[in-house]
Amino acid sequence: MTEALPTPEDTVARLYAELRRMAADFEFRPSERLNESRLALRLGASRTPLREALNRLVAEGFLDFRSGQGFFCRALSPEGIFHLYEARAAIECAALGAAIDRAADAAIADLAAYLDRTEGAYIRSTDPVELLEMDETFHVKLCALAGNPEFDSMLSNVNGRLRYVRLIDLKQMRASGAVSERMSAHRRVLQALVARNRAAAIGAMRAHIEKRRDQATEAVRLAFADIYAPKGEAE
C-alpha cells in the first residue's frame, strides 16, 4: 500500500514544530536575521511553507518580521523586559480585581479544574514550550474571568512580546527544578480569588509577576552569556 504524500498543511506543521524547537534552544541569536535560504536547505523545504511557518512564530512572539528585511529573532534588553512585565502586572492585576467583582462561582470553579488537570503535567514536563503554553493558558483564562475583552486583547499583545523571554525563564526554571514553585504561585492567586479576597489576590498576583520579572531578567542574562560565549571557552 502506497503511503500518502504529506499535505501542504503537514509540511507547514513540521516546519513550524522544528523552527519553534530551534527558537526554544536558542539556535537563533537575539536580533539575528534569519537566513531563509539556509533554513530551507537545512529543513528540506521550499520557501513558501517555510515562510508560513515563520509567520506563525511571528504571531506567537518568537520572531519579528521587518518589511523589506525579513525575519529576525526577538531583540531583548533589561529595560524592555522590565517595561513589558510592568505592563503585564498592571493588566493582570486590574483584570483580577474585576474578576473578583464579576466572575461567577462556576467560572472560577472551571479555572480551578483546569489547574487541577494540568498541575501534574506541568510539574513533570521537560519541554519548556509545553510549560509556556500551560502557564500562559492559566493566566489567559484568569484574565478572561473579568469579562472585559480589552483586558484580553492587551494581555495577548504583551504575552506575544514576552513569549521569548518567558521561554528563556522557563528553561532556566526547569534546569533548576523550581517549576513546582511556579504552580504554587498560581494556587495562591486562585485561593484568594475563590475567597473573593481582593487584597490577597492582587498582592499574590503582583508578587508572582514581579518575581518572574526579576528571574526572567537574570535568566536572559545567563542565557546571553552562554549564547555569546566563544566556542570552546568552557572546555
Side-chain angles (χ1 to χ4, degrees):
M1 184 174 179
T2 304
E3 291 187 10
L5 293 174
T7 66
E9 292 79 9
D10 292 336
T11 300
V12 172
R14 175 183 69 81
L15 293 171
Y16 164 75
E18 180 61 16
L19 288 164
R20 193 171 69 164
R21 181 202 63 75
M22 293 168 72
D25 289 342
F26 314 123
E27 293 189 32
F28 309 133
R29 291 183 174 186
S31 300
E32 176 185 21
R33 181 180 180 276
L34 276 60
N35 187 313
E36 292 180 50
S37 297
R38 289 180 186 172
L39 281 174
L41 183 62
R42 173 176 174 178
L43 299 175
S46 63
R47 297 285 284 275
T48 297
L50 177 66
R51 286 184 176 177
E52 188 171 340
L54 288 169
N55 278 317
R56 286 183 62 181
L57 290 173
V58 170
E60 292 189 357
F62 289 99
L63 303 175
D64 285 320
F65 178 76
R66 303 175 195 171
S67 181
Q69 298 181 64
F71 295 92
F72 290 77
C73 187
R74 282 281 186 179
L76 301 173
S77 72
E79 182 181 35
I81 293 170
F82 179 89
H83 289 161
L84 286 168
Y85 270 97
E86 186 175 51
R88 182 186 166 202
I91 295 163
E92 293 210 52
C93 288
L96 181 56
I100 288 170
D101 294 334
R102 305 171 187 166
D105 290 342
I108 296 174
D110 285 344
L111 179 62
Y114 170 79
L115 192 59
D116 290 340
R117 288 195 307 273
T118 57
E119 190 167 32
Y122 189 90
I123 293 170
R124 292 189 302 271
S125 178
T126 58
D127 180 356
V129 174
E130 183 180 50
L131 288 169
L132 176 64
E133 290 173 348
M134 286 188 282
D135 182 85
E136 192 171 285
T137 297
F138 174 83
H139 284 272
V140 167
K141 286 179 176 291
L142 181 55
C143 183
L145 292 177
N148 184 332
E150 296 301 328
F151 284 145
D152 299 337
S153 178
M154 288 188 289
L155 182 60
S156 176
N157 178 276
V158 170
N159 279 343
R161 296 166 67 190
L162 265 176
R163 200 162 281 133
Y164 188 59
V165 176
R166 296 184 70 197
L167 187 62
I168 294 173
D169 180 31
L170 283 164
K171 285 177 72 74
Q172 295 286 351
M173 284 184 66
R174 171 49 69 194
S176 68
V179 167
S180 60
E181 178 186 341
R182 176 71 156 262
M183 188 59 70
S184 296
H186 290 177
R187 284 283 176 195
R188 286 192 290 273
V189 172
L190 184 59
Q191 287 167 0
L193 173 60
V194 169
R196 308 280 180 169
N197 187 327
R198 180 184 300 272
I202 292 176
M205 177 65 82
R206 188 172 296 280
H208 172 48
I209 293 174
E210 289 180 353
K211 184 174 183 180
R212 295 270 44 86
R213 177 198 68 202
D214 295 341
Q215 293 187 346
T217 302
E218 176 63 10
V220 168
R221 186 190 68 79
L222 292 172
F224 274 28
D226 182 57
I227 291 168
Y228 293 109
K231 300 300 181 185
E233 183 177 275
E235 296 179 1

